[in-house]
Amino acid sequence: MKKIVAAALMAAAAGLYAIPATAQEDGLSLEGKTIGVAVVGTQHFWDREAFNGATTTVEELGGTVVPVDGGRDNQVHADNHDVLLNRGVDAVISILGDGAVEPKFEALKSAGIPVFTVDHPSPYSTNNTTSDNYTMGTTIGRYMADAIGGKGKVAVFNAFEESLRICGIRTGLWKYVLQDYPEIEIIQPELAEEFANAPEDARRQTLDLLSQYPEGTIDAIHVGCWDQPAIGIVQALEETGRTEIKVTALDGGPETLEIMAEEGSPFVANVAQQPYLIGATSAENVARYFAGEELLPQTYVDVMPVNGPEEARQAYEDLGYGSLN
């Protein structure tokens, strides 16, 4: 595997994006408004990009941002909403988080402060902006089934299906598609990746898996909700010469698209998201709310299916990460 170009991670956040013309043409404004932006963490590319999209757009629409970072601790992220409540912000954009945020959202709503969630449906949210998770789950199911000829044994990393709604949709629909492929067997028990240091954790778990399943007895490894573990899975396959096993995952960040773009890579399919655009869209929805527009409960942002190295190179360029040609 070629060296990951870490600098590309920051390229999209370095001014490559701008507020969509529609926002400016619609005359949206947050002038005089103070908007709290709470993010669960900024270590992961997706989280950081969504945060950058939200904060940059609030400022470009004339608002003032009060940022809080949970450091990837869900309880700290939840408690940070108390900070925003006490600051008396005009609205809150909350990016990710688990059930610990719900009572905080309820308190904000009771105080008359609207909450706009990102990738976290909630009964207390005025609007949730998210990727089209339904398309993500079904598309990666079809791509993975095609990659192994519609039959074989598949291992899945699936730590978050029960705890995070977005992961439940993606993984659940992947499994739904596989019901049409009766010759595909999901290996039990499913694997549970760790969030912290996910690539190395997945590498070690994959090496253990391969020791139990000799060549010819496993056909694919899928990551149910995101794609950082896939980096370690590919490393393990390459270390053991087991690159006949296909790898699929979801998110389409620059580092995994780069791995996919290599000819002969076992990482064969992905579905890329647009996290910066998701954050920016949420900020625009805050402006629409204050302009008196009626918002739907969910705003879906298009995703980009990526099948094979050529499409990985094209997606990398289309998403503003640079060129791999």
Side-chain angles (χ1 to χ4, degrees):
M1 181 169 57
K2 294 179 181 176
K3 183 179 180 181
I4 296 171
V5 183
L9 298 177
M10 303 303 296
L16 295 177
Y17 301 97
I19 298 174
T22 53
Q24 297 169 330
E25 291 169 357
D26 289 348
L28 296 177
S29 174
L30 288 172
E31 197 72 39
K33 300 293 185 184
T34 299
I35 311 300
V37 180
V39 62
V40 71
T42 51
Q43 298 93 331
H44 181 223
F45 169 79
W46 197 103
D47 308 350
R48 186 169 60 249
E49 282 297 280
F51 176 75
N52 288 336
T55 55
T56 300
T57 303
V58 167
E59 291 173 346
E60 292 192 10
L61 291 174
T64 300
V65 175
V66 179
V68 285
D69 182 348
R72 259 296 162 183
D73 184 316
N74 281 315
Q75 189 58 55
V76 173
H77 175 53
D79 292 343
N80 278 340
H81 293 75
D82 293 334
V83 175
L84 299 176
L85 176 64
N86 293 331
R87 287 286 299 268
V89 298
D90 294 297
V92 169
I93 297 173
S94 182
I95 301 170
L96 294 168
D98 63 7
V101 296
E102 294 298 331
K104 310 297 183 181
F105 291 169
E106 184 178 14
L108 286 162
K109 186 175 181 179
S110 296
I113 300 173
V115 177
F116 295 78
T117 52
V118 169
D119 256 9
H120 185 102
S122 167
Y124 306 109
S125 172
T126 299
N127 167 268
N128 178 54
T129 303
T130 185
S131 287
D132 184 345
N133 296 301
Y134 310 98
T135 296
M136 294 179 74
T138 54
T139 299
I140 204 64
R142 290 188 292 110
Y143 283 178
M144 192 212 73
D146 289 346
I148 60 175
K151 59 183 178 182
K153 289 187 177 181
V154 179
V156 58
F157 282 85
N158 181 22
F160 307 115
E161 181 180 10
E162 300 298 328
S163 59
L164 295 175
R165 173 61 181 158
I166 57 169
C167 298
I169 294 171
R170 296 171 191 175
T171 310
L173 287 173
W174 173 78
K175 292 178 178 177
Y176 181 78
V177 169
L178 296 190
Q179 291 178 19
D180 290 339
Y181 297 87
E183 294 186 77
I184 292 179
E185 176 188 348
I186 300 175
I187 294 172
Q188 300 296 329
E190 297 177 354
L191 303 169
E193 73 273 29
E194 295 180 357
F195 183 84
N197 201 17
E200 177 56 23
D201 167 72
R203 188 188 73 86
R204 287 188 283 100
Q205 291 201 56
T206 301
L207 291 174
D208 290 342
L209 178 74
L210 296 177
S211 69
Q212 301 171 46
Y213 290 88
E215 188 169 349
T217 61
I218 182 171
D219 299 279
I221 302 175
H222 176 63
V223 186
C225 190
W226 57 323
D227 64 6
Q228 288 296 295
I231 296 171
I233 294 169
V234 171
Q235 289 174 340
L237 297 180
E238 292 180 343
E239 287 176 25
T240 55
R242 299 287 298 278
T243 53
E244 81 283 359
I245 297 172
K246 308 302 182 186
V247 179
T248 55
L250 297 163
D251 262 1
E255 64 271 69
T256 52
L257 290 176
E258 187 172 341
I259 296 169
M260 282 188 65
E262 298 174 14
E263 292 296 336
S265 173
F267 198 160
V268 296
N270 205 327
V271 181
Q273 300 187 73
Q274 303 186 72
Y276 187 98
L277 182 60
I278 290 172
T281 300
S282 183
E284 292 169 13
N285 283 343
V286 176
R288 290 191 171 92
Y289 170 84
F290 284 119
E293 293 187 27
E294 185 173 347
L295 297 172
L296 293 172
Q298 306 282 337
T299 298
Y300 295 104
V301 174
D302 288 343
V303 295
M304 185 181 298
V306 186
N307 195 7
E310 184 174 340
E311 290 189 9
R313 287 190 286 271
Q314 186 63 53
Y316 193 91
E317 184 173 338
D318 291 346
L319 290 168
Y321 303 146
S323 174
L324 295 174
N325 295 314

